[in-house]
Amino acid sequence: MSQSCVEYKENAALRRHSMWSSLAVDHLLGILIGSALLLHAESVCLWILTFASVITNELLRSGCVWLMGVPAGFKSNTELAGVLGVISIYAIQIWPTLWILIDFLFIYFIKGLGLLGILFGATIPAALITDMVSLATLQLFTGQSQSCIPGKYKL
């Protein structure tokens, strides 16, 4: 069924106005979020660093120590569990050390996100944050891809 010329023009105008309103809302949200990040960059950095420290120190380490014990009787080799647990705790300890090293650069990253939000809208900083989280958790993705047997599982 063909559309009339008037219906086609109405649909095209509706799509155009929808696109422009989406861009305007994106830019307004970017200005709001970016200016909030620029004004409160120190407190945002402190909150993120505290959150990362709590997750690393309390959640990951306590979970690793718990797994080195006897969780529900699933483990049969306590020596191997102890060695793997110590290796895991050492690997977990690397992250707070890296956070200390990038602590002075982190405020510039937050201010850069705020500036990008003001200039380009909210989607650019959101995409950059997702890319940074993907980069920070890259070891999880590489561990998953190496555990697959080639030829047996298809991706």
Side-chain angles (χ1 to χ4, degrees), residues 45 103-113:
C45 284
D103 185 23
F104 70 95
L105 293 175
F106 196 61
I107 193 156
Y108 297 117
F109 177 72
I110 296 296
K111 287 182 179 180
L113 278 178

Side-chain angles (χ1 to χ4, degrees), residues 110-142:
I110 296 296
K111 287 182 179 180
L113 278 178
L115 191 62
L116 284 174
I118 290 172
L119 293 177
F120 299 113
T123 53
I124 299 296
L128 189 58
I129 287 171
T130 22
D131 289 344
M132 287 296 149
V133 168
S134 297
L135 185 64
T137 58
L138 185 64
Q139 78 277 6
L140 298 175
F141 294 121
T142 56

Side-chain angles (χ1 to χ4, degrees), residues 2 11 19 22 43 47 54 73 78-79 81 89-90 92 96 109 115 123 126:
S2 71
N11 287 336
M19 180 188 66
S22 295
S43 60
W47 183 81
V54 165
T78 56
E79 291 82 16
I89 288 174
Y90 286 149
I92 291 169
F109 177 72
L115 191 62
T123 53

Side-chain angles (χ1 to χ4, degrees), residues 22-71:
S22 295
L23 284 173
V25 168
D26 180 43
H27 197 69
L28 283 173
L29 283 175
I31 290 172
L32 288 174
I33 293 170
S35 59
L37 281 176
L38 283 177
L39 289 175
H40 305 290
E42 291 86 12
S43 60
V44 169
C45 284
L46 182 65
W47 183 81
I48 290 173
L49 291 173
T50 304
F51 182 71
S53 174
V54 165
I55 285 180
T56 303
N57 290 334
E58 295 177 13
L59 193 67
L60 291 178
R61 284 187 191 165
S62 65
C64 190
V65 169
W66 178 76
L67 284 174
M68 287 170 62
V70 185

